[in-house]
Amino acid sequence: PEEFRVLEDGVEQEIAHFGHHESPISVVVLFDKSGSMVDEKLMHAKDAVVNFTRALQARDEVLVIAFSDGVDQLGQFGLDAKTIERETKRIRIESGTRLYDAVIEGASALAKPDREEKRAILLLTDGEDTASRGTLDDAVEAIRKAEVPVYAIGIELEGALPAPWGRGNSLWNRLSASRGTGALWLMIWV
């Protein structure tokens, strides 16, 4: 306490309690299984989901939603890591990319009152939306209402040019600029 001070409007406040507490988290993993996620990209994305779920604590809960020309929940919240691994390994490539619809469904799942207080969306994709019924505005609004951060990992083959989804009027730029939302995206080359 001697090395740490809290000031409010310039006035020092008394610290009654200070500690570290790990609370459980509800995570929706959005998994792009569109036609462009072939070969190594699909393999690395599957490995990422499996490793991520293995790293979670027993009290944490995860829901995997795979999307292409459809949006499919792979089970429900609360599945164990082995079940999620089995379902993730079954993912097969399809056409289309209903990214916005998947974001809307994931945000809706996290907005329910029975979810944990800590919540997040983890998105694995290689591109932009091509087939959603919902719009970019709908996706941004769903995230804003759910008050949930989005962590996106872009997957590209080594030597490929960066995908356009981090530029212009993209979901990532809109979330980064929108109040009440948070977004972080990272490109990896495999």
Side-chain angles (χ1 to χ4, degrees):
E2 299 84 43
E3 302 99 32
F4 188 76
R5 299 180 337 155
V6 175
L7 302 175
E8 182 176 341
D9 296 326
V11 178
E12 187 169 350
Q13 302 296 308
E14 180 180 344
I15 301 171
H17 175 74
F18 186 80
H20 177 70
H21 172 70
E22 288 192 28
S23 56
I25 186 169
S26 294
V27 180
V28 169
V29 177
L30 301 177
F31 189 105
D32 182 348
K33 62 176 183 169
S34 65
S36 58
M37 288 286 291
V38 294
D39 302 326
E40 288 185 52
K41 291 197 287 188
L42 181 66
M43 179 191 70
H44 286 292
K46 286 180 177 183
D47 288 347
V49 171
V50 168
N51 290 329
F52 175 76
T53 56
R54 285 180 182 164
L56 294 173
Q57 301 299 312
R59 298 182 312 162
D60 298 331
E61 59 181 12
V62 64
L63 172 65
V64 178
I65 299 176
F67 64 95
S68 58
D69 54 352
V71 178
D72 306 305
Q73 290 189 14
L74 306 183
Q76 57 193 0
F77 275 109
L79 295 178
D80 62 281
K82 287 189 184 297
T83 303
I84 292 169
E85 180 176 352
R86 186 178 65 245
E87 293 300 314
T88 300
K89 288 185 181 217
R90 290 182 180 162
I91 292 174
R92 299 291 175 253
I93 296 296
E94 297 175 10
S95 62
T97 308
R98 288 180 56 192
L99 171 61
Y100 302 154
D101 292 344
V103 168
I104 293 164
E105 187 167 323
S108 174
L110 285 171
K112 294 182 177 163
D114 54 342
R115 300 288 61 94
E116 298 294 344
E117 185 176 339
K118 279 176 47 177
R119 298 165 293 146
I121 290 177
L122 174 63
L123 171 63
L124 299 163
T125 186
D126 70 343
E128 288 284 348
D129 187 281
T130 63
S132 284
R133 293 180 184 105
T135 66
L136 173 60
D137 289 337
D138 296 336
V140 171
E141 183 63 13
I143 294 295
R144 190 192 64 71
K145 281 183 179 177
E147 298 178 326
V148 59
V150 177
Y151 303 97
I153 300 174
I155 301 171
E156 281 299 341
L157 295 175
E158 189 172 333
L161 294 175
W165 54 280
R167 302 188 295 260
N169 192 28
S170 71
L171 179 62
W172 326 114
N173 288 337
R174 290 282 302 279
L175 288 174
S176 296
S178 179
R179 298 189 98 184
T181 66
L184 171 67
W185 66 274
L186 168 73
M187 280 303 289
I188 60 170
W189 282 265
V190 295

